[in-house]
């Protein structure tokens, strides 16, 4: 599965607002939760890699804040969603790197 959600250092709240605006974090986190994805690969173009770490952390926080770390219907703990960055050089910003995601056992790719 894949999802598109792309688009200067700032204060924490300004940076959070910018990431939300540029990358549509609410919709992306909702897509991750709705799919039940636990290992999510984040692939963004080379010129946006400067946002990658903050973006991955923000997505993880949004999944946890929305009840991601709850228990399954059988009472077993559901593992939290982990978002990791595919930082390989991309061929082009339009190309989804499904092979790299598969090598890291990703359930989904945010591109």
């Amino acid at each position: 599965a894949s999802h598109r959600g792309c688009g200067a250092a700032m204060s924490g709240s300004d940076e959070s607002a910018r990431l939300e605006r540029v990358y549509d974090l609410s919709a992306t986190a909702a897509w991750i939760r709705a799919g039940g994805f636990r290992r999510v690969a984040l692939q963004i173009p080379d010129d946006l890699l400067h946002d990658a770490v903050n973006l991955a952390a923000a997505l993880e926080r949004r999944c946890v804040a929305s009840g991601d770390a709850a228990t399954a219907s059988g009472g077993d703990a559901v593992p939290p969603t982990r978002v990791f960055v595919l930082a390989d050089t991309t061929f082009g910003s339009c190309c989804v790197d499904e092979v790299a995601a598969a090598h890291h056992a990703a359930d989904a790719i945010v591109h």
Side-chain angles (χ1 to χ4, degrees):
S2 67
H3 178 73
R4 283 189 184 264
C6 290
M10 301 178 189
S11 72
S13 61
D14 290 342
E15 178 66 3
S16 294
R18 185 188 70 79
L19 289 173
E20 175 62 45
R21 185 180 67 255
V22 173
Y23 296 100
D24 198 7
L25 293 180
S26 295
T28 304
W31 177 81
I32 291 168
R33 288 189 310 274
F37 304 123
R38 296 289 168 232
R39 292 186 50 80
V40 179
L42 175 61
Q43 180 189 3
I44 59 178
D46 292 345
D47 60 329
L48 297 175
L49 281 176
H50 60 275
D51 283 339
V53 172
N54 290 336
L55 184 55
L59 283 171
E60 282 188 0
R61 279 193 306 273
R62 284 181 178 269
C63 290
V64 169
S66 297
D68 183 35
T71 57
S73 58
D76 296 329
V78 175
T81 297
R82 296 293 179 217
V83 179
F84 53 92
V85 179
L86 297 178
D88 297 346
T89 300
T90 56
F91 180 76
S93 61
C94 64
C95 304
V96 178
D97 194 351
E98 294 171 354
V99 173
H103 287 181
H104 296 285
D107 300 320
I109 302 171
V110 173
H111 173 78

